[in-house]
Amino acid sequence: LGDVYKRQALEHREYELSSLPDTIKDDVVPYSYGVQASMNLFEGGKTMYATKAAKFETKAQEHAVEAKTTQLISQTAQAYLDYLDAVNVQKLQKNNVDVMRAHYVETRDKAKFGRLTSTDVAQAQARLEGAKALLTQADMGVDNASERFFRITGKAPELTQTPDISAVLNAAPATQGERDIWNLIKDAPETLADAEKIAQEQNPLLKELIQRENAAAEQVKVAKNTSSPSLDLSAYAGRQEKQIMMDTLTDYQAKLSLSVPLYDASVSHYKKIEALEAQNAVKYSLSDARAAVREAVRTAWNAVSTRKSETLYAQAQIKANKKALDGVIDEARNGTRTTLDVLNAQQEYLDSQVSLSHAQYGLVNAKLSLLQAMGVLKL
């Protein structure tokens, strides 16, 4: 805005005055100091528009950070849910190994007394080895899910008690882990129309682009006023010490200047075109982003619906397979079913349990994806 300065130098002066009889010689040390200030009074509003544009850009950056935060929350939560799903499948496979081992021992003992054949023993042993192989795959699944969680968070997942995912989906969480998962998905919308409306209003990516569009509009105004007249006010106050024939000289100045550009080689014209092109680019980006958000919400909604159906089917399948397994075991005891029938029924029951686990955890993940697509996923 202004500056304060002080100048000092050593000078030797020798001069004659006609009104005095003798030549005057003097050694002086003159210096001066003062304050000068200047201020623009009018420049077509460029500063005002540029300030508004900067404010809009700041808000856009805030929404961009919000979008990144939502994405990170989603990735972390989904990685942890994948880990829980893997742990649950591992638990089911361990139990299946125990069942197959017990069945193998029972079959082997019965074969010794001639009640079953060596073929039955071989079949039971084959299923036991297959169950062990599936358990190994489940162990690797847990390790892989743990590594993915570590890659995202920088630390291994902690698990003191496996949450009952059914309690979460039934809105009845009991443990702290179940409540943590429930808090993430409890705000999932009930209808697709609600999901789309909320997404168009609250998605941080859309809010970011809206602010960038506002900033681009202000930059257009700045460009339109590039060659506008400028009115400036400047003021000066200072003192000069040890002047000729006087001790000090005090000086005050005020100046009002108007600058009117006559020719700028079409600079303002091209700047306006450039600003308009930038504004149009942001508008196109916003339009594309709205369509992309709508697509993501609909895709996530369909995934939620699919996972709900899979969960219901898996629950019904478990119920039917459990009834079938119990029946086959009873019939095998009466000699109307073979060992292979029991093993097949046991395998089908296990498969339905694994399918239910994948479907339930998949449903929670789908709801997380829906909330992320909407832009409202928060801790």
Side-chain angles (χ1 to χ4, degrees):
L1 179 62
D3 53 68
V4 179
Y5 60 88
K6 181 175 181 179
R7 297 194 301 268
Q8 183 171 340
L10 177 61
E11 296 183 3
H12 175 75
R13 300 175 181 172
E14 183 174 339
Y15 48 87
E16 295 183 2
L17 298 178
S18 59
S19 59
L20 295 178
D22 299 322
T23 298
I24 300 175
K25 296 181 179 180
D26 188 15
D27 289 317
V28 297
V29 184
Y31 61 88
S32 62
Y33 54 89
V35 177
Q36 180 172 329
S38 60
M39 180 177 64
N40 177 263
L41 300 179
F42 175 78
E43 37 70 75
K46 292 193 294 289
T47 301
M48 178 183 67
Y49 298 137
T51 301
K52 288 183 178 181
K55 290 181 178 180
F56 286 131
E57 284 291 345
T58 300
K59 291 181 180 179
Q61 291 295 334
E62 292 174 355
H63 293 311
V65 172
E66 183 183 355
K68 290 293 185 181
T69 302
T70 300
Q71 183 180 8
L72 181 59
I73 293 173
S74 177
Q75 290 178 346
T76 303
Q78 289 181 346
Y80 188 65
L81 287 170
D82 289 342
Y83 172 74
L84 294 179
D85 184 21
V87 169
N88 191 52
V89 171
Q90 181 189 50
K91 181 179 178 181
L92 291 173
Q93 295 294 357
K94 284 181 179 178
N95 181 68
N96 187 53
V97 168
D98 293 338
V99 171
M100 291 295 102
R101 182 178 289 110
H103 187 80
Y104 166 71
V105 172
E106 181 182 0
T107 303
R108 184 188 60 189
D109 292 342
K110 289 181 178 180
K112 290 179 181 180
F113 295 98
R115 298 174 58 185
L116 294 175
T117 66
S118 59
T119 301
D120 294 323
V121 176
Q123 290 173 340
Q125 184 178 10
R127 287 299 175 92
L128 174 59
E129 297 303 322
K132 291 179 180 179
L134 292 175
L135 177 57
T136 301
Q137 292 180 9
D139 292 338
M140 295 302 100
V142 172
D143 289 341
N144 292 338
S146 178
E147 285 300 320
R148 178 169 180 254
F149 184 84
F150 182 83
R151 175 178 60 81
I152 295 174
T153 65
K155 62 179 183 179
E158 298 178 359
L159 185 62
T160 57
Q161 181 180 359
T162 305
D164 181 5
I165 203 66
S166 298
V168 175
L169 293 174
N170 293 326
T175 66
Q176 184 59 48
E178 293 166 7
R179 284 190 291 270
D180 291 340
I181 299 173
W182 165 245
N183 287 332
L184 286 173
I185 66 172
K186 62 183 177 64
D187 294 327
E190 296 296 330
T191 65
L192 176 58
D194 290 339
E196 290 181 337
K197 180 180 178 181
I198 294 172
Q200 293 298 326
E201 293 176 353
Q202 300 186 27
N203 188 282
L205 173 61
L206 299 183
K207 292 194 288 186
E208 174 194 352
L209 291 174
I210 289 173
Q211 296 300 329
R212 294 197 186 281
E213 183 182 22
N214 293 336
E218 296 300 324
Q219 291 294 352
V220 171
K221 296 178 182 178
V222 172
K224 288 181 178 179
N225 289 275
T226 299
S227 297
S228 60
S230 177
L231 183 63
D232 298 283
L233 174 65
S234 61
Y236 169 79
R239 292 171 66 88
Q240 297 180 1
E241 302 291 347
K242 294 187 177 182
Q243 301 298 311
I244 301 174
M245 303 301 295
M246 63 184 70
D247 290 334
T248 61
L249 173 63
T250 302
D251 185 17
Y252 299 99
Q253 296 180 15
K255 181 172 63 174
L256 189 64
S257 59
L258 176 65
S259 301
V260 180
L262 299 178
Y263 178 71
D264 65 353
S266 299
V267 172
S268 59
H269 173 70
Y270 291 116
K271 283 189 175 181
K272 182 174 69 174
I273 292 177
E274 182 181 5
L276 287 172
E277 290 295 332
Q279 183 184 24
N280 289 333
V282 176
K283 286 183 178 180
Y284 296 145
S285 297
L286 178 58
S287 178
D288 289 342
R290 289 189 187 279
V293 167
R294 181 176 181 272
E295 179 186 5
V297 169
R298 285 179 171 266
T299 300
W301 181 266
N302 291 335
V304 171
S305 300
T306 300
R307 291 298 188 178
K308 283 182 179 179
S309 298
E310 289 177 353
T311 300
L312 294 175
Y313 296 149
Q315 289 172 339
Q317 192 176 30
I318 283 178
K319 186 177 180 180
N321 285 335
K322 182 63 170 66
K323 184 177 179 179
L325 176 61
D326 293 340
V328 169
I329 291 175
D330 289 339
E331 292 171 2
R333 288 171 181 170
N334 296 328
T336 59
R337 290 282 186 171
T338 65
T339 298
L340 183 59
D341 293 329
V342 176
L343 293 174
N344 288 338
Q346 181 64 42
Q347 186 63 50
E348 290 175 358
Y349 180 58
L350 172 66
D351 291 342
S352 60
Q353 288 179 306
V354 173
S355 296
L356 178 61
S357 178
H358 289 327
Q360 288 178 328
Y361 279 101
L363 177 55
V364 176
N365 266 324
K367 289 187 176 184
L368 288 174
S369 297
L370 174 60
L371 291 170
Q372 182 195 356
M374 294 166 58
V376 294
L377 182 61
K378 295 180 176 62
L379 291 175

